[in-house]
């Protein structure tokens, strides 16, 4: 029971304080590479997004917009089932055009994809 409480306290210790109504959220942006995955998280006044690029024989890129409960996913493979290294190039940034919001990013690959 004590371990569970400590775990919950640690989990909520890093959560930002709620923002007052009418105030834009504090900007947050970071990228982290762990094993075959490359993750970037972005939050600012225009968008909140999680980008995930997965390297390997079955490479994929996922872009999730949790606040809008939407996202997209693309799967790719290299000719001959070669291993593919995907990298999200920084900066990952939000943008707004014609009333639509999204994220802009560049994805690099170690080989051609289909």
């Amino acid at each position: 029971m004590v371990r569970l409480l400590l775990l919950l306290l640690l989990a909520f210790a890093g959560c930002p304080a709620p923002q007052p109504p009418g105030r834009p959220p504090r900007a947050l942006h970071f990228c982290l590479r762990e094993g075959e995955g490359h993750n970037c998280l972005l939050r600012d006044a225009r968008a909140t997004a999680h980008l995930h690029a997965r390297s390997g024989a079955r490479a994929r890129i996922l872009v999730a917009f949790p606040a809008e409960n939407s996202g997209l996913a693309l799967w790719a493979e290299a000719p001959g089932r070669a291993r593919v290294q995907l990298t999200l190039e920084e900066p990952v940034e939000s943008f707004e055009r014609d009333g639509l919001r999204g994220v802009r990013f560049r994805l690099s690959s170690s080989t051609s994809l289909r």
Side-chain angles (χ1 to χ4, degrees):
M1 182 68 172
V2 173
R3 282 186 181 176
L4 177 62
L5 289 174
L6 285 174
L7 182 62
L8 289 174
L9 285 175
L10 289 174
F12 288 109
C15 295
Q19 296 290 323
R23 180 184 253 177
R26 249 185 328 196
L28 170 73
H29 174 255
F30 66 92
C31 291
L32 174 69
R33 181 176 285 283
E34 187 174 334
E36 296 284 318
H38 191 184
N39 292 282
C40 288
L41 294 138
L42 169 76
R43 181 186 68 197
D44 63 19
R46 290 184 290 209
T48 299
H50 178 189
L51 292 82
H52 175 74
R54 175 83 175 161
S55 299
R58 297 180 65 193
R60 64 183 176 265
I61 175 81
L62 307 169
V63 181
F65 299 97
E68 289 82 28
N69 197 24
S70 62
L72 65 95
L74 299 170
W75 281 262
E77 63 181 43
R81 289 284 210 186
R83 186 184 179 291
V84 178
Q85 179 69 38
L86 294 179
T87 303
L88 290 164
E89 304 289 339
E90 293 193 53
V92 174
E93 57 190 12
S94 66
F95 74 99
E96 184 172 357
R97 185 182 319 156
D98 300 328
L100 298 175
R101 298 176 181 186
V103 292
R104 184 178 300 139
F105 62 96
R106 183 180 305 256
L107 181 69
S108 64
S109 171
S110 61
T111 186
S112 61
L113 302 172
R114 55 180 170 172

